[in-house]
Amino acid sequence: MSVFALLGTLLSWFADCLAPLFGASATAAAIVLFTLCVRAALHPLARAAVRGEKARAALAPKMAELNRRHKRDPERLRRAMAELYEKESVSPVAGCLPTLVQLPVFFVMYHLFSTGSGAGDLLDHTLAGAPLGGRWGGHLAGPHGPVYLALFALIAAVAVWTSLRARKAAAVQPAAVGVRAGAAKLLPLLSFGTLVTAAVVPLAAGLYLATSTTWTAVERALIHRTGREERAKGGAVQ
């Protein structure tokens, strides 16, 4: 049995369990529940990624100073940065590996919901009457338009909120170095890429994207809030 067939079977089981509550929209509800379960299982990796990001961010002032001091000697700069990472016990890829581990999972889920591979008649089901296999181009002005508009409104709201948080975080962080500086300016805009993607994929995939991006936004906000509270308590104790 392929991984898509296995996931399709699990998704069908979720839909059967939810049918008494959601009726014809049970499969759509199952997509949301299934996505939430997967993201909850990946939460430890998300926490590890944030810890790595914070560790690298804490080194930003020292990295900037090394870059200023050795900018005319790339080899010396490379050695100095390696020594700094070793001294601070921080990996240059801290935070990246947990993120990379999650990517295959996200790809499999996206493929499942965008093609219906292994999930039988997944895309033939509906959400409030709107076919899960439909795209906004053919339905936005029709009777199912409100479903697509609600989905886009949710993704857009999350994108705006994520972008504002990213800009606020970048404003209080020390200046980044080199490529990181350009990436810091670009990242707030990437949150709107999901909105563009949702406009061209089936409704099932759009529903997955909306659920996953909302989870990510809330998850990161809570992780950062918990971190601030822990630092505040630590400072109070001292």
Side-chain angles (χ1 to χ4, degrees):
M1 179 179 290
S2 70
V3 63
F4 295 109
L6 179 61
L7 293 177
T9 300
L10 184 58
L11 189 66
S12 296
W13 179 79
F14 274 137
D16 291 340
C17 294
L18 296 173
L21 291 175
F22 295 94
S25 298
T27 298
I31 292 175
V32 174
L33 178 61
F34 183 75
T35 302
L36 293 176
C37 289
V38 172
R39 293 306 307 268
L42 294 175
H43 179 66
L45 290 176
R47 292 185 66 87
V50 172
R51 286 197 299 269
E53 292 171 4
K54 289 180 178 179
R56 293 202 312 275
L59 292 182
K62 296 180 180 180
M63 297 292 283
E65 174 60 23
L66 290 177
N67 186 69
R68 183 193 64 78
R69 188 183 306 169
H70 305 297
K71 61 182 179 180
R72 297 183 182 278
D73 188 348
E75 181 60 26
R76 182 69 184 90
L77 176 61
R78 185 191 64 78
R79 291 199 303 270
M81 287 183 172
E83 292 171 0
L84 177 61
Y85 281 125
E86 182 177 1
K87 178 182 177 181
E88 300 292 338
S89 299
V90 175
S91 170
V93 295
C96 297
L97 291 181
T99 300
L100 292 176
V101 171
Q102 298 177 68
L103 291 181
V105 179
F106 296 152
F107 171 77
V108 168
M109 294 181 65
Y110 173 77
H111 184 76
L112 172 68
F113 296 135
S114 61
T115 66
S117 297
D121 59 349
L122 165 67
L123 299 183
D124 294 332
H125 290 273
T126 61
L127 170 61
L132 293 179
R135 291 171 171 79
W136 75 274
H139 299 88
L140 193 59
H144 306 310
V147 174
Y148 292 89
L149 289 175
L151 182 69
F152 294 158
L154 173 60
I155 295 176
V158 172
V160 171
W161 188 57
T162 301
S163 178
L164 292 176
R165 282 183 57 85
R167 291 180 183 278
K168 182 178 179 180
V172 299
Q173 288 291 341
V177 178
V179 176
R180 288 184 58 200
K185 296 178 180 179
L186 180 62
L187 285 177
L189 300 178
L190 295 182
S191 54
F192 292 94
T194 302
L195 185 62
V196 177
T197 302
V200 298
V201 298
L203 178 59
L207 192 59
Y208 157 70
L209 291 173
T211 305
S212 188
T213 53
T214 302
W215 173 282
T216 298
V218 174
E219 178 182 61
R220 292 183 70 86
L222 291 178
I223 290 175
H224 284 289
R225 178 180 178 181
T226 301
R228 288 195 299 269
E229 292 177 349
E230 291 176 351
R231 288 193 298 271
K233 289 180 180 179
V237 171
Q238 294 177 356

